[in-house]
Amino acid sequence: MSRVHEVKVQRPFRAVESAIGSQDLPEVARLLAELTVGEVVDLLERLGVRQRAVAYRMLAKDRAVPVFERLDAPLQRELVTGLRDEEVAGVVESLDTDDRVSLLDELPAALATRLLKGLPLSERELTAAVLGYPENSIGRRMNPSYVTTHPDLTCAESLERVRGELERTRNVYTVMVTDPQRRLLGVTSLQRLMAAPPDTLVSQVMEEADRVSATEPRERAARQCAALRVLSLPVVDDEDRLVGVLTVDDALDILEDAESEDQARLSGSEPLRRPYLSTPVFRLVRSRVVWLLVLAVSAVLTVRVLETFESTLEQLVVLSVFIPLLTGTGGNTGNQAATSLTRALALGDVHTRDVVKVMLREMRVGLCLGLLLGGLGFVIVGLIYGWDIGAVIGLTLLALCTLAATVGGCTPLIARTIGADPAVFSNPFISTFVDAAGLVVYFLIARAMLGLA
């Protein structure tokens, strides 16, 4: 958020908060009416649960649904539980099917069932169809409302079909071409239909369609949509029948969620899945404490290694000075490799079968890093503490960087193979393994080169 936008949001935020506190509801309505939809969303994300419900009720009816659509699902859930049933029914019915499914997934089962039963039959059937797909599949995030035509219809007839669907769907820019059994034959754009002579057959202006299976993982499907740079990606079932479309805005939302999740887990915490300022303090603590406990327990292994080599440290105390340097360098090297490979896995650049190629590549990368850092360490430490200590540090950095890069590069692939989330699995394992293994390598090299017991 830019500084200008932040100031623009902060002023009405304080005014709205004050008006709600003094129960001056007309003033709240007036202040909200002066803001754009995006500014109202930013403001609601900063308010508390009760204040947010009060402010939302003061929105004009024609702005309530656009604002609701742009809120994160957890905030939508809190609003739904704070609104009257008739208010909720109107908002939920106005949502696109995929957005409605995301909201129902957040709600308690009893409330979700009640809302589903309150929908018109046609909307209820569309929503139930989407809810029937696996939770993390693209079928759960597709929009089942789309415009279709047939190859033997003219462009004029197809444009009439588009006009007839304007009330029901907003996905009119890409028109799907199907046969009578709904099997996908191709796609054409609204622009092509409008530009062609009215009596031109659709078969003459359609093109081959990229598609994705409804059971495909949603992140993979979203990346395919982004890579193809299409406005809508057809979603088909096992028999190649069209069941929905993935729009580019939904694909971007999926990728944004995936990126936030990966970044949170790579830093050792759980994703919040909601704006920071609207997240309760207890939830912030809960999102971070688990991995802190895991890392604290794993540190016990490092302590045990130090106890094992206690006699070595007693003979040459200066060795303890370099322990933070070595563990930090090893951990950073491993995490750099793991981050690169986690990202490459997400983008489909590498696959689990490439583990040997990745291992050899990261081994070479680690060796090069080790030669650079080890040579620098040898010179600097040698000038200050003596060349024998410098040689120990230089060789340890060489071995440690090679080991850490290799392990860090392979860990995400191993995690994917065993069905674990690479972002979750990599950091704790690398921190534990590299710290302990690095210290063992360090003391073994010191013993061998310095003649210690």
Side-chain angles (χ1 to χ4, degrees):
M1 185 185 297
S2 68
R3 178 63 180 167
V4 173
H5 182 60
E6 184 178 359
V7 172
K8 193 174 182 181
V9 172
Q10 282 288 353
R11 288 172 180 168
F13 169 74
R14 288 191 290 267
V16 169
E17 192 175 39
S18 175
I20 293 174
S22 61
Q23 298 185 347
D24 188 354
L25 300 186
E27 177 65 8
V28 175
R30 186 190 67 79
L31 290 168
L32 292 175
E34 296 175 353
L35 302 177
T36 66
V37 170
E39 289 168 348
V40 172
V41 171
D42 288 339
L43 186 144
L44 291 180
E45 290 176 347
R46 293 165 174 263
L47 292 173
V49 176
R50 189 191 68 82
Q51 294 172 320
R52 189 181 304 120
V54 171
Y56 185 79
R57 279 199 173 100
M58 293 300 102
L59 289 171
K61 288 185 178 180
D62 62 336
R63 305 184 74 202
V65 172
V67 168
F68 191 88
E69 286 178 334
R70 293 179 61 172
L71 291 172
D72 291 331
L75 299 190
Q76 290 180 340
R77 179 195 64 217
E78 291 174 356
L79 274 180
V80 164
T81 56
L83 297 175
R84 296 188 299 269
D85 283 353
E86 60 271 19
E87 292 175 320
V88 172
V91 169
V92 173
E93 185 177 340
S94 300
L95 294 174
D96 287 340
T97 305
D98 52 336
D99 294 329
R100 189 184 303 135
V101 168
S102 296
L103 171 60
L104 293 175
D105 282 338
E106 285 284 334
L107 296 175
L111 178 55
T113 302
R114 190 167 80 240
L115 290 177
L116 194 57
K117 288 180 178 178
L119 294 172
L121 180 60
S122 59
E123 291 296 330
R124 192 189 318 159
E125 290 175 345
L126 286 175
T127 305
V130 174
L131 284 169
Y133 289 100
E135 185 173 353
N136 289 318
S137 69
I138 198 58
R140 198 65 168 257
R141 293 295 296 270
M142 70 181 181
N143 193 325
S145 300
Y146 46 85
V147 182
T148 63
T149 187
H150 302 302
D152 54 350
L153 294 180
T154 65
C155 290
E157 291 170 326
S158 297
L159 287 174
E160 282 301 315
R161 294 172 70 98
V162 171
R163 292 188 186 98
E165 295 291 334
L166 289 177
E167 291 289 331
R168 191 176 68 90
T169 181
R170 289 178 289 180
N171 303 315
V172 299
Y173 302 105
T174 304
V175 180
M176 309 297 162
V177 184
T178 63
D179 66 11
Q181 287 74 43
R182 283 201 352 262
R183 283 190 290 266
L184 183 65
L185 301 177
V187 296
T188 188
S189 66
L190 183 60
Q191 180 185 15
R192 285 189 176 187
L193 292 177
M194 296 177 68
D199 57 349
T200 304
L201 293 178
V202 170
S203 58
Q204 296 177 260
V205 295
M206 75 178 195
E207 59 185 8
E208 186 177 349
D210 294 293
R211 65 202 72 194
V212 64
S213 171
T215 55
E216 187 84 5
R218 61 187 181 188
E219 184 179 345
R220 191 180 304 167
R223 293 197 184 281
Q224 182 177 340
C225 182
L228 293 171
R229 301 182 184 277
V230 292
L231 293 177
S232 297
L233 181 64
V235 181
V236 297
D237 63 13
D238 294 337
E239 297 179 3
D240 206 33
R241 290 178 301 190
L242 187 66
V243 293
V245 294
L246 172 63
T247 57
V248 65
D249 56 332
D250 288 332
L252 292 176
D253 286 342
I254 292 170
L255 293 179
E256 182 181 355
D257 291 343
E259 186 74 18
S260 298
E261 183 178 284
D262 287 347
Q263 289 300 317
R265 287 175 171 169
L266 284 170
S267 63
S269 64
E270 285 297 306
L272 299 178
R273 305 188 190 283
R274 55 189 294 155
Y276 173 81
L277 290 177
S278 67
T279 305
V281 172
F282 177 74
R283 182 167 294 186
L284 288 172
V285 172
R286 190 174 62 184
S287 72
R288 301 177 188 180
V289 70
V290 173
W291 292 114
L292 289 177
L293 290 174
V294 170
L295 293 174
V297 171
S298 67
V300 174
L301 180 60
T302 303
V303 173
R304 292 293 300 163
V305 172
L306 289 173
E307 288 181 351
T308 302
F309 291 96
E310 186 176 1
S311 60
T312 303
L313 281 173
E314 288 176 349
Q315 295 176 64
L316 197 60
V317 179
V318 72
L319 292 176
S320 63
V321 173
F322 301 101
I323 291 177
L325 165 69
L326 298 174
T327 55
T329 301
N332 289 336
T333 304
N335 287 332
Q336 284 178 338
T339 300
S340 297
L341 266 297
T342 299
R343 181 68 174 166
L345 273 174
L347 294 174
D349 292 340
V350 298
H351 302 88
T352 53
R353 62 177 179 270
D354 298 321
V355 62
V356 175
K357 293 181 181 177
V358 170
M359 182 179 68
L360 294 175
R361 174 177 287 266
E362 287 298 328
M363 189 180 297
R364 294 198 299 272
V365 172
L367 184 62
C368 292
L369 291 172
L371 286 171
L372 290 171
L373 296 177
L376 187 62
F378 169 70
V379 173
I380 294 176
V381 175
L383 290 172
I384 300 174
Y385 294 96
W387 297 110
D388 51 349
I389 302 295
V392 171
I393 300 304
L395 287 174
T396 302
L397 285 171
L398 174 62
L400 188 55
C401 287
T402 305
L403 174 66
T406 304
V407 172
C410 294
T411 299
L413 300 178
I414 295 171
R416 176 65 62 82
T417 301
I418 64 177
D421 187 335
V424 175
F425 184 80
S426 299
N427 265 8
F429 178 81
I430 291 171
S431 297
T432 302
F433 179 83
V434 172
D435 284 358
L439 289 176
V440 170
V441 170
Y442 177 41
F443 288 122
L444 290 178
I445 290 176
R447 280 182 173 182
M449 297 196 65
L450 302 177
L452 302 175

